[in-house]
Amino acid sequence: MAMSDSPTTDDTTSNTPFLKFPPTSPITIHPTPTSGRAVFTTRPLSPGTTLLHTPALPIDVILREYRREVCGWCFHYDEGRTLPIKRLLKEVGFVFCGEECAREWERDVGTLGREAWGVVEGFVRGGAGGKGWGNGGGGGGGKGNGNGRQNGSGSKKGVEIDGLDGSATEEDADGDVGIPDAEVPRPGEEEIAAAWRWGEMAREDIVAARDGSRVKSHSKTLNMVLGTRPDADVLSFLLSGVLCRARSSEVASMSEIPQEQETGNEGEGKEGDDERETKTTVQDGNQETVSTTNSSSSTATPTPTPTSPPSPPILSSSPWSTILALHPSQLPYPSSPILYTHILTFCHLLALLPPPLLPFLTKSTCLATINRDACNSFGIRSLDDGGDEFFGYGVWPDASYFNHSCEPAVGKERVGREWRFWCKGAVGEGEEVGISYLGGEERDLGLAERRERLWTGWGFWCACGKCVREEREEVEKNGSVEGVGSGGNSGGGTSGDTMEVD
């Protein structure tokens, strides 16, 4: 089967509307002057009121180091023990807590998705030709960087491919790129555009070589890519985005998908609508931004009491279009080594994936995936120990419109694949309500450390009620405030927002 070297399903622009909920919902989504779109109450709410239940998860990643310990479907974690259902472990690299979860995973990915996970797993385990990578196989991002996105570099010294300059990196003892320093600027538009130009040129060579070209430069590029150590977690992340895009187009015809129109920024992927329904459900809920004053900072945190069954959102669309409707990050790569690792991973997937998936493996798909993840992913942590173990992350689009507050009005918990949100205290009508993006010990950080973590992980300078109050107190006491600088949103996050679990 010949493979097209020009994408036929790309889209980088869209008029996809953001999520809307029934008029009876206790929350709704509105734009804000400074913090994108946000979640607001539609009526006065009492403590414990359920706002949203959503299991819709188009994109998710379980970090490589936890793949034997975390269920590939429901994310069950048994204190580090290997889970019992291992029949798919060698084939696709996942274990499961029970046969029901294994079957759900198989139904969700389908035959083509299972084949894709299989070739990627084989490459991570054994490299091209099964010769192995030495020293532990494909690299990974460790336990994550605290903001929902892994940032490892599988190469021992970053990416070492001619024309893609990612070798000059700072690494920890394990060879993994650590959390980017808040003082180090993220790659700008020019650097991102240059890296992707290389990726697009490599794409032409790789696709031509797979189509049988005997041109030496084509086979050289393909062999160079296949001979470079992969980052297993970035492979999983980008593959998850590609499969989401492909699944969303199973019903929509190619003619219904807008043609690609590149933007002038760093290549930010925007989007087009597909026509398949999601399985997302909403419990009485809309979403809002965090109020900068956060008037609902009750000390009591009631456990939510489920009332009626969840109501479906008014907007029912494909998983990919729900991703595209989210707010994109303008500069999604935390560091240059991470950018180069993503470009290399794009090339790895071009060299590996089954031909029917190649039309969905494009620059715009990869950029849309990272742009939305950067502002909208939730960390997946252990549930029984206060979230001490960070073993993955995912994008739940319906839950991504909550902005951040350091004293949140909304409580949240993950139950299997589902996120649940409720009022922590009484909230008045028309108020913004938000969640905390900080998880585990991060919630106990002081003002400067808290702001630095939010700036580094999500790219905004927090000006929630708590931060403004503590800043005023610190200025009165010391005459100045420590921190990496100001800028970004005056409130919590941006539009759709990244978050950590409680």
Side-chain angles (χ1 to χ4, degrees):
M1 174 181 176
M3 294 174 287
S4 171
D5 61 357
S6 61
T8 60
T9 61
D10 274 3
D11 46 70
T12 53
T13 60
S14 173
N15 294 318
T16 305
F18 54 84
L19 196 69
K20 296 181 180 179
F21 294 95
T24 56
S25 170
I27 54 174
T28 188
I29 304 170
H30 291 307
T32 67
T34 57
S35 302
R37 294 164 292 184
V39 179
F40 293 81
T41 57
T42 60
R43 59 180 180 267
L45 301 176
S46 59
T49 300
T50 299
L51 303 178
L52 174 69
H53 286 186
T54 176
L57 179 59
I59 295 173
D60 67 277
V61 173
I62 298 174
L63 301 182
R64 184 76 183 179
E65 118 176 55
Y66 288 98
R67 291 274 284 270
R68 289 175 173 266
E69 305 165 18
V70 176
C71 178
W73 181 251
C74 75
F75 311 126
H76 174 72
Y77 177 72
D78 188 16
E79 298 180 344
R81 299 180 183 90
T82 299
L83 296 185
I85 306 303
K86 297 178 285 219
R87 62 180 175 84
L88 295 174
L89 179 60
K90 289 185 178 180
E91 179 188 349
V92 297
F94 291 103
V95 297
F96 301 90
C97 62
E99 272 296 336
E100 183 178 353
C101 281
R103 289 192 294 270
E104 285 292 335
W105 183 89
E106 289 175 297
R107 280 193 291 268
D108 185 63
V109 301
T111 303
L112 188 59
R114 181 167 172 171
E115 182 182 351
W117 281 109
V119 294
V120 166
E121 177 65 14
F123 183 62
V124 170
R125 284 176 177 266
K131 297 179 180 179
W133 296 107
N135 299 332
K143 296 188 179 181
N145 63 0
N147 70 350
R149 283 174 290 128
Q150 69 76 44
N151 62 358
S153 174
S155 299
K156 212 52 181 160
K157 290 188 177 181
V159 178
E160 297 178 335
I161 290 184
D162 293 343
L164 189 60
D165 186 14
S167 58
T169 66
E170 292 295 329
E171 298 171 327
D172 61 25
D174 296 325
D176 294 330
V177 181
I179 297 174
D181 193 305
E183 301 287 352
V184 177
R186 292 168 176 254
E189 295 176 6
E190 292 185 4
E191 183 177 0
I192 294 172
W196 272 106
R197 281 195 296 272
W198 187 94
E200 290 285 82
M201 289 189 293
R203 184 185 196 279
E204 295 179 3
D205 286 356
I206 293 167
V207 170
R210 290 191 64 180
D211 268 341
S213 170
R214 296 187 178 183
V215 176
K216 188 174 182 179
S217 61
H218 295 165
S219 58
K220 179 181 179 181
T221 301
L222 177 62
N223 292 332
M224 189 187 325
V225 165
L226 290 175
T228 306
R229 181 190 297 267
D231 186 300
D233 295 328
V234 181
L235 274 170
S236 295
F237 172 65
L238 292 184
L239 176 56
S240 186
V242 170
L243 292 177
C244 172
R245 181 76 184 275
R247 287 195 301 268
S248 297
S249 297
E250 288 174 356
V251 176
S253 67
M254 295 298 184
S255 61
E256 292 174 320
I257 302 174
Q259 294 299 310
E260 178 170 357
Q261 298 178 18
E262 295 296 345
T263 60
N265 62 12
E266 89 274 24
E268 170 191 333
K270 295 195 177 170
E271 48 284 344
D273 291 344
D274 301 342
E275 297 293 334
R276 199 174 71 132
E277 273 192 57
T278 65
K279 294 185 286 187
T280 301
T281 58
V282 175
Q283 171 112 350
D284 296 279
N286 273 350
Q287 302 160 286
E288 299 182 357
T289 25
V290 166
S291 64
T292 56
T293 56
N294 201 346
S295 61
S296 56
S297 56
S298 171
T299 55
T301 307
T303 300
T305 303
T307 53
S308 59
S311 303
I314 291 176
L315 172 63
S316 183
S317 53
S318 74
W320 184 246
S321 63
T322 64
I323 291 291
L324 298 174
L326 298 175
H327 177 82
S329 171
Q330 298 302 308
L331 300 175
Y333 301 100
S335 70
S336 294
I338 296 172
L339 165 62
Y340 304 133
T341 298
H342 274 249
I343 303 299
L344 175 62
T345 301
F346 169 69
C347 294
H348 280 143
L349 291 175
L350 285 169
L352 295 169
L353 292 189
L357 286 176
L358 293 189
F360 304 100
L361 175 54
T362 63
K363 170 187 172 182
S364 66
T365 298
C366 294
L367 283 169
T369 301
I370 182 64
N371 284 346
R372 272 55 175 197
D373 167 79
C375 288
N376 299 284
S377 66
F378 285 69
I380 303 172
R381 291 180 181 266
S382 50
L383 299 177
D384 299 328
D385 56 5
D388 288 345
E389 296 289 342
F390 178 90
F391 43 68
Y393 55 97
V395 180
W396 281 261
D398 295 350
S400 293
Y401 294 91
F402 287 102
N403 281 343
H404 169 80
S405 174
C406 294
E407 46 183 9
V410 175
K412 65 185 190 292
E413 67 173 346
R414 181 179 59 81
V415 180
R417 289 175 70 86
E418 182 176 86
W419 273 97
R420 300 177 179 180
F421 302 86
W422 68 93
C423 289
K424 297 175 70 173
V427 183
E429 180 179 355
E431 291 190 23
E432 295 184 18
V433 288
I435 62 175
S436 174
Y437 296 178
L438 302 176
E441 297 179 353
E442 294 175 325
R443 289 168 293 183
D444 299 324
L445 296 174
L447 173 63
E449 293 174 308
R450 202 167 61 236
R451 278 180 161 174
E452 182 171 331
R453 179 59 58 90
L454 291 166
W455 176 267
T456 302
W458 293 275
F460 68 87
W461 184 251
C462 187
C464 71
K466 181 177 181 179
C467 286
V468 170
R469 185 171 61 251
E470 291 183 3
E471 179 180 17
R472 187 179 300 116
E473 293 171 354
E474 191 167 326
V475 169
E476 291 175 355
K477 181 179 179 180
N478 303 319
S480 62
V481 178
E482 296 181 6
V484 295
S486 61
N489 298 335
S490 62
T494 56
S495 181
D497 303 301
T498 318
M499 45 198 97
E500 282 297 299
V501 310
D502 283 330

